[in-house]
Amino acid sequence: MSETPSYHYGVMARAIDYIGAERNAQPTLEDVAAATGLSPAHFQRIFSQWVGVSPKRYQQYLTLDHAKTLLAERFTLLDTAAETGLSGTGRLHDLFLRWEAMTPGEYAQGGAGLTLRWDWVETPFGEALLMVTDRGIAGLGFSSETGRVATLADMTARWPKAEFVQDGAAVAPQAAALFRAEGAASLHLIGAPFQIKVWEALLLIPTGHVTTYSEIAGAIGHPKAVRAVGTAVGRNPVSWLIPCHRALRKSGGLGGYHWGLPVKRAMLAWEAARLEAG
């Protein structure tokens, strides 16, 4: 069997579902491995390749309690992050040394005259739809929870007048830069001015840290616009790259996630575990 990143995520997704359902019973390695259909030794190997810490430790990262711990211990005041350069320590911020946004006029045209080339790619969080323009990555959506048809319809509807071309050759270099650290990548953000401000704030959150929707609202100068911020977070066209999964509720609850809460939970746990392991 070819053990691609999406295969690893498929195994992890089954493990995550099982751990969540049986969290009160504190399942053993053997229990979780059986739920994934693998032997304990094979599961341990796959798990270690994907995360880098023990399954038992990872279980702790998957819980709501972990989200609350992140909020208590790794909550990032966005203005402080901006002033101290804390966000510069994150892998994504080192990777994306440049990014640009469309002008309001270009956005208002609905992508008219713009060609987006797309294809399906393997990621640590399952299969994803990657879209690129001549200026960089414009879209990244995950299909493991929503399915290919819904994911493609969702992303293409954002720019109704653009031309979409399936082009694996154009997408491959950006995918390699993102998920295999080969070469350089850039972002080409396509959104309304308010959305761009929210996404800029999200880029300040370092790996392994979190913030809240209200904190983002305050950071962009609109403290009462928490609901609008939540909508803009959900409209992030390049999920994970602009880390909307790091936005939580004040209570420490995970909140929503456009591509499904299992994906958000996996992203937070994956980042926290690798940060600790590194």
Side-chain angles (χ1 to χ4, degrees), residues 187-208:
L187 294 182
H188 183 196
L189 298 185
I190 305 175
F194 181 84
Q195 293 174 328
I196 296 293
K197 286 184 177 181
V198 171
W199 301 339
E200 286 178 326
L202 288 169
L203 281 169
L204 292 175
I205 309 169
T207 301

Side-chain angles (χ1 to χ4, degrees), residues 214 217-218 221-228:
S214 57
H222 297 276
K224 296 183 179 180
V226 177
R227 186 178 296 274

Side-chain angles (χ1 to χ4, degrees), residues 94-256:
D94 294 336
L95 177 63
F96 294 111
L97 297 179
R98 74 179 190 277
W99 64 274
E100 60 179 305
M102 295 185 74
T103 66
E106 288 175 316
Y107 173 72
Q109 293 173 9
L114 186 69
T115 298
L116 286 97
R117 303 184 183 279
W118 64 272
D119 204 3
W120 301 102
V121 300
E122 303 286 348
T123 85
F125 313 107
E127 184 184 65
L129 175 67
L130 183 62
M131 292 183 166
V132 304
T133 70
D134 292 339
R135 286 185 274 176
I137 296 167
L140 179 63
F142 295 88
S143 62
S144 62
E145 297 295 318
T146 59
R148 277 190 171 190
V149 173
T151 300
L152 183 59
D154 183 308
M155 296 301 290
T156 55
R158 298 169 188 242
W159 311 292
K161 297 181 181 179
E163 179 183 2
F164 296 92
V165 178
Q166 186 169 10
D167 187 344
V171 167
Q174 295 284 10
L178 291 183
F179 303 113
R180 294 195 297 276
E182 300 171 0
S186 59
L187 294 182
H188 183 196
L189 298 185
I190 305 175
F194 181 84
Q195 293 174 328
I196 296 293
K197 286 184 177 181
V198 171
W199 301 339
E200 286 178 326
L202 288 169
L203 281 169
L204 292 175
I205 309 169
T207 301
H209 292 70
V210 296
T211 192
T212 64
Y213 300 108
S214 57
E215 176 69 16
I216 295 170
I220 65 172
H222 297 276
K224 296 183 179 180
V226 177
R227 186 178 296 274
V229 163
T231 300
V233 168
R235 294 294 293 172
N236 169 20
V238 285
S239 295
W240 188 62
L241 305 182
I242 293 179
C244 52
H245 58 281
R246 298 178 193 158
L248 305 179
R249 292 174 177 165
K250 274 187 175 181
S251 63
L254 289 174

Side-chain angles (χ1 to χ4, degrees), residues 4-25:
T4 64
S6 277
Y7 166 71
H8 289 185
Y9 178 74
V11 172
M12 293 308 105
R14 293 196 298 275
I16 288 167
D17 288 344
Y18 179 80
I19 290 168
E22 301 295 330
R23 60 184 178 275
N24 292 333

Side-chain angles (χ1 to χ4, degrees), residues 9-101:
Y9 178 74
V11 172
M12 293 308 105
R14 293 196 298 275
I16 288 167
D17 288 344
Y18 179 80
I19 290 168
E22 301 295 330
R23 60 184 178 275
N24 292 333
Q26 292 295 300
T28 65
L29 171 65
E30 290 74 16
D31 293 332
V32 182
T36 65
L38 301 176
S39 70
H42 191 195
F43 175 72
Q44 180 85 24
R45 180 175 66 81
I46 295 297
F47 196 97
S48 296
Q49 288 178 352
W50 190 75
V51 179
V53 298
S54 71
K56 189 68 174 178
R57 184 64 170 154
Y58 187 71
Q59 284 183 41
Q60 298 172 3
Y61 289 128
L62 290 174
T63 66
L64 178 59
D65 286 341
H66 173 59
K68 293 179 178 178
T69 299
L70 279 175
L71 199 58
E73 298 180 358
R74 295 183 182 174
F75 173 65
T76 302
L77 291 170
L78 291 179
D79 54 352
T80 301
E83 291 172 7
T84 62
L86 181 61
S87 61
T89 63
R91 182 188 66 81
L92 290 177
H93 303 89
D94 294 336
L95 177 63
F96 294 111
L97 297 179
R98 74 179 190 277
W99 64 274
E100 60 179 305

